[in-house]
């Protein structure tokens, strides 16, 4: 029994597992080769209510909170899916929350509802070629001209950037690099907005990643999320859920690798005995299991403190920088991400090693997890940036 166990959440696990078994596993290798998941998968996931988990019904979601989203992420990976699949199918988890929190009905109707219905795809563009860690240093500039902004700049490493119909884009509205940020929803097809080449990656092969360029792109002021220059705070507030999602992907990947490797070590014999009969191997598996479970317990604990339904007007309910739902959990979120990523990095490495040569082949599921895991300590704020946050929380 864990913090996320309840009859409803067990049902949610079963729903997710059935979805992965039926709709994902037969095709995942093809999507890895194609470099993206099909749009139809979004509609299928929406129809059974999976896409809208964690979003209130009032904006077209299925209800539930962060812990329900965590259950879905855990179960996708533990059923044989992957963190890359989570990134591709649930990009709306980072593209929409700012709009929901700002509570603008027009933006909710135009972008949130269709995305949660699976008919639109959204992306979030913060990172720029000059740097991603220093969010306040964003240089993509939006100059106010009547009832439009004129946007110039570029973004890179944008998840679902190739497929996205709209991009929640962080722009600077005062002086480039000043930290006065706003969020604009920029639609694909707007003149001057071009999507660059598909970026080839170490892992997350089924998740498309793109560079975006903006040259004199006219974006209606009506597409601004919240008041001008409140973007930095909005980004920081939503980072908590993104980081906990990445932490979940990390420990769930570790757990999946423990399961796969335990099975492998029972089946594989060397020198006339199953690998799993050797004390050295047993202890290695025990340590892998322990690290994965400890990370899971800690992430659940922090997530329970952050959890709240994403409600309309929530941004006004939690206005303090670094505070989510009234709790100063930013430091704990950073620690949770680092703990889970460290566990994952070590476990995937051990898992591949225990699989021997087979672990190095594309045919081995652990090979994909080994490659996919490497981004988790980079995306959503690197391990070093998490440490900077933790140090600040310690008063250093
Ligand atoms: C597959 C993938 C998907 C992504 N998806 C998205 C997305 O959808 N949207 C989006 O906006 N971004 C996305 N990113 C970008 C990601 O968030 C950034 O790569 C990340 O924040 C790091 O930024 P950077 O790559 O510019 O590294 P940099 O900021 O240049 O940092 C380089 C290195 O220096 C370290 N470093 C930086 N500053 C300090 C410091 N002060 N002290 C110590 N060390 C420091 C960093 O930890 C890192 O190790 C994605 C990236 C990848 C690879």
């Amino acid at each position: 029994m864990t913090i996320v166990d309840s009859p409803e959440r067990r049902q949610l696990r079963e729903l997710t597992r059935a979805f992965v078994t039926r709709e994902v596993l037969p095709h995942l290798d093809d999507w890895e080769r194609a470099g993206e998941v099909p749009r139809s998968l979004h509609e299928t996931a929406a129809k059974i209510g999976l896409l809208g988990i964690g979003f209130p019904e009032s904006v077209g979601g299925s209800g539930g909170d962060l812990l329900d989203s965590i259950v879905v992420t855990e179960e996708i990976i533990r059923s044989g899916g992957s963190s890359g699949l989570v990134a591709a199918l649930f990009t709306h988890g980072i593209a929409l929350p700012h709009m929901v929190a700002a509570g603008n009905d027009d933006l909710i109707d135009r972008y949130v509802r269709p995305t949660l219905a699976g008919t639109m795809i959204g992306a979030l563009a913060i990172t720029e070629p000059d740097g991603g860690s220093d969010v306040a240093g964003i240089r993509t500039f939006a100059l106010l001209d009547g009832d439009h902004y004129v946007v110039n700049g570029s973004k890179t490493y944008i998840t679902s950037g190739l497929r996205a119909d709209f991009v929640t884009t962080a722009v600077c509205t005062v002086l480039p690099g000043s930290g006065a940020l706003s969020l604009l929803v920029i639609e694909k097809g707007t003149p001057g907005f071009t999507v660059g080449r598909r970026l080839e990656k170490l892992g997350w092969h089924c998740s498309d990643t793109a560079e975006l360029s903006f040259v004199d792109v006219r974006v209606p002021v009506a597409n601004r999320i919240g008041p001008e220059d409140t973007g930095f705070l909005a980004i920081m507030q939503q980072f908590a859920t993104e980081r906990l999602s990445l932490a979940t992907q990390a420990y769930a990947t570790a757990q999946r690798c423990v399961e796969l490797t335990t099975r492998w070590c029972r089946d594989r014999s060397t020198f006339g005995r199953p690998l799993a009969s050797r004390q050295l191997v047993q202890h290695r598996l025990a340590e892998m299991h322990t690290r994965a479970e400890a990370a899971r317990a800690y992430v659940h604990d922090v997530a329970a403190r952050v959890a709240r339904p994403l409600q309309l007007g929530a941004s006004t309910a939690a206005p303090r920088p670094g505070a989510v739902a009234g709790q100063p959990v930013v430091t704990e979120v950073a620690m949770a991400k680092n703990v889970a990523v460290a566990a994952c990095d070590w476990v995937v490495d051990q898992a591949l090693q225990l699989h021997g040569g087979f672990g190095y082949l594309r045919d081995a599921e652990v090979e994909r997890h080994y490659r996919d895991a490497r981004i988790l300590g980079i995306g959503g704020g690197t391990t070093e940036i998490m440490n900077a946050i933790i140090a600040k929380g310690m008063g250093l």
Side-chain angles (χ1 to χ4, degrees):
M1 186 80 175
T2 74
I3 207 166
V4 296
D5 268 339
S6 69
E8 293 76 22
R9 288 189 175 134
R10 277 196 287 278
Q11 254 182 340
L12 185 57
R13 270 188 205 288
E14 280 164 29
L15 180 79
T16 309
R17 183 168 280 270
F19 168 77
V20 173
T21 306
R22 199 177 50 241
E23 307 291 345
V24 173
L25 295 187
H27 312 291
L28 188 53
D29 287 345
D30 291 340
W31 299 338
E32 289 274 304
R33 277 189 288 274
E36 60 184 49
V37 301
R39 297 182 77 93
S40 58
L41 188 69
H42 293 250
E43 283 187 65
T44 308
K47 277 196 187 109
I48 60 166
L50 217 51
L51 218 55
I53 293 292
F55 288 86
E57 290 174 23
S58 56
V59 302
S62 313
D65 62 14
L66 178 63
L67 294 177
D68 296 293
S69 303
I70 282 178
V71 165
V72 172
T73 300
E74 269 184 18
E75 206 54 42
I76 284 180
I77 294 172
R78 295 194 68 186
S79 310
S82 67
S83 58
L85 178 82
V86 172
L89 185 57
F90 291 85
T91 319
H92 62 281
I94 56 174
L96 299 182
H98 319 82
M99 277 185 253
V100 177
N104 177 320
D105 286 339
D106 174 49
L107 293 180
I108 287 170
D109 287 344
R110 283 194 287 144
Y111 302 110
V112 177
R113 288 182 198 284
T115 305
L116 295 178
T119 55
M120 262 190 156
I121 293 175
L124 173 70
I126 296 175
T127 305
E128 302 190 341
D130 282 347
S133 299
D134 182 10
V135 175
I138 279 174
R139 306 189 70 79
T140 296
F141 188 55
L143 179 70
L144 191 58
D145 178 25
D147 56 1
H148 281 74
Y149 285 101
V150 181
V151 179
N152 281 283
S154 55
K155 300 287 178 182
T156 193
Y157 315 139
I158 305 308
T159 298
S160 297
L162 281 136
R163 298 177 307 140
D165 302 296
F166 67 89
V167 182
T168 300
T169 311
V171 297
C172 178
T173 36
V174 185
L175 208 60
S178 66
L181 305 184
S182 296
L183 288 168
L184 299 180
V185 184
I186 306 182
E187 286 191 22
K188 187 175 270 178
T190 310
F193 172 23
T194 48
V195 177
R197 68 192 168 89
R198 182 185 302 275
L199 298 176
E200 303 286 340
K201 309 186 294 296
L202 172 71
W204 276 18
H205 284 177
C206 68
S207 168
D208 56 298
T209 311
E211 288 173 334
L212 312 177
S213 157
F214 306 96
V215 178
D216 292 333
V217 180
R218 293 186 71 79
V219 181
V221 169
N223 279 25
R224 190 186 65 220
I225 301 172
E228 195 167 276
D229 299 343
T230 59
F232 187 79
L233 179 58
I235 290 167
M236 291 303 140
Q237 284 176 339
Q238 301 306 335
F239 262 151
T241 47
E242 180 179 358
R243 287 170 184 164
L244 286 170
S245 170
L246 290 160
T248 304
Q249 292 170 45
Y251 73 70
T253 298
Q255 285 185 306
R256 174 71 179 170
C257 284
V258 173
E259 287 161 12
L260 291 169
T261 310
T262 304
R263 204 182 304 155
W264 165 268
C265 289
R266 284 204 172 104
D267 293 346
R268 178 78 174 175
S269 285
T270 63
F271 302 96
R273 271 167 52 191
L275 276 175
S277 70
R278 302 192 185 272
Q279 194 180 46
L280 185 138
V281 173
Q282 289 170 3
H283 286 199
R284 182 74 49 85
L285 289 168
E287 197 170 347
M288 290 163 67
H289 182 49
T290 304
R291 292 196 196 194
E293 286 301 312
R296 182 185 196 224
Y298 185 51
V299 174
H300 281 184
D301 182 64
V302 174
R305 277 179 270 160
V306 174
R308 71 196 154 107
L310 293 165
Q311 287 163 348
L312 293 175
S315 61
T316 52
R320 192 158 52 87
V324 180
Q327 296 217 28
V329 291
V330 167
T331 308
E332 285 89 342
V333 168
M335 292 195 289
K337 183 170 187 280
N338 278 2
V339 163
V341 166
C344 181
D345 283 348
W346 188 78
V347 169
V348 293
D349 189 55
Q350 300 303 316
L352 194 146
Q353 186 70 17
L354 281 168
H355 275 74
F358 181 60
Y360 198 68
L361 300 190
R362 282 286 149 98
D363 286 345
E365 189 183 321
V366 292
E367 185 265 356
R368 173 160 48 77
H369 292 306
Y370 180 86
R371 288 182 292 101
D372 283 353
R374 194 61 186 85
I375 182 59
L376 301 174
I378 296 172
T382 64
T383 300
E384 291 77 13
I385 295 302
M386 295 306 101
N387 277 335
I389 292 169
I390 297 160
K392 197 172 166 196
M394 294 166 70
L396 295 168

